[in-house]
Amino acid sequence: PTYEGHVPLTSIERTALAVGSGVMAYFNPRRADLIALFGETTAQPFFINRLRNAMLKSPTGRRILRDRPRITSTSLSLPYLASLPTNTVGHTYYEWLEREKVSPDTRSAVRYIDDEECAYVMQRYRESHDFYHALTGLPTVREGEVALKCFEFANTGLPMTGLSVFNVFTLKAQERERFWGTYGPWAVRNGACSDDVINVYWEEEMETDVDELRTRLGIEKPPDLRDIRKQEREKRK
């Protein structure tokens, strides 16, 4: 082991875990442990190195690698985020956590990436995922996760995010139509053209206006998916 919790794997073991977790996660996409395992076993050596190099090219990314901040309910102080003005990054993130009933403490520790620094890069990506949700407004329902994974793939290049997009075929017909017509094109365009979101030092942006951060990164907010789904439910009733 090269760091605490590290589980070294042979090439055969890594391949077997990648295939098994990938197939099982496809049929049960709410299994976060399977998605995490699939992400780690498919990221190295090339893809996670590419993401680390993107951080090394950025002054902010290098500071993140040096400081090694972690995103938890304790390190962020959720009561403080709740007290911030409504349109700040911190309050937007807090509101999203409350609305979706999720916690920043649910991200599992990286175990299967061999390089210690690359393991932190994967951990940082994993813990920043909910900030991407808050920034885009996409909910945690399967349709929202597929759209966000498509955005992440265009931005980070991690194989797990790209392969997760295949879950679009498990969506209902109306949801698939919405993805191909609206959220898929939005995700590809914004993910490819925006700055590397891995280089956002979220801990320093809490009091920043969320629209200002979107503009700085080059991300346009998509149509409110939760509101669209709510309107459809009311229409059916």
Side-chain angles (χ1 to χ4, degrees), residues 1 3-7 110-112:
Y3 54 89
E4 185 178 355
H6 175 220
V7 179
V110 173
R111 304 171 62 198
Y112 299 106

Side-chain angles (χ1 to χ4, degrees), residues 96 100 132-134 136-140 144-145 147-148 183 186 222-223 225:
W96 184 87
E100 301 299 325
Y132 308 155
H133 268 293
T136 60
L138 291 169
T140 57
E145 290 288 1
L148 189 61
Y183 291 96
W186 165 85
L225 180 57

Side-chain angles (χ1 to χ4, degrees), residues 45-56:
F46 174 76
F47 301 100
I48 195 65
N49 286 341
R50 179 221 161 267
L51 200 58
R52 177 182 62 179
N53 291 340
M55 297 184 74
L56 291 173

Side-chain angles (χ1 to χ4, degrees), residues 1 14-15 20 33 35-36 38 44 55 68-69 77 86 109 111 117 128 131 161 173 181 192 196 216 224 234 237:
R14 188 176 303 280
T15 301
D33 57 331
I35 295 173
F38 183 65
Q44 66 176 13
M55 297 184 74
R68 302 284 181 94
S77 178
T86 304
R111 304 171 62 198
E117 187 172 56
S128 297
F131 275 101
T161 58
D196 292 314
R216 193 198 318 159
D224 191 324
E234 292 175 348
K237 289 180 181 179

Side-chain angles (χ1 to χ4, degrees), residues 179-216:
F179 176 82
W180 296 121
T182 302
Y183 291 96
W186 165 85
V188 172
R189 182 176 65 254
N190 281 267
C193 297
S194 65
D195 291 345
D196 292 314
V197 290
I198 192 68
N199 289 325
V200 178
Y201 209 137
W202 298 104
E203 293 83 353
E204 298 178 350
E205 301 286 358
M206 294 303 172
E207 298 181 10
T208 302
D209 185 277
V210 67
D211 293 321
E212 177 189 323
L213 181 60
R214 291 189 187 109
T215 300
R216 193 198 318 159

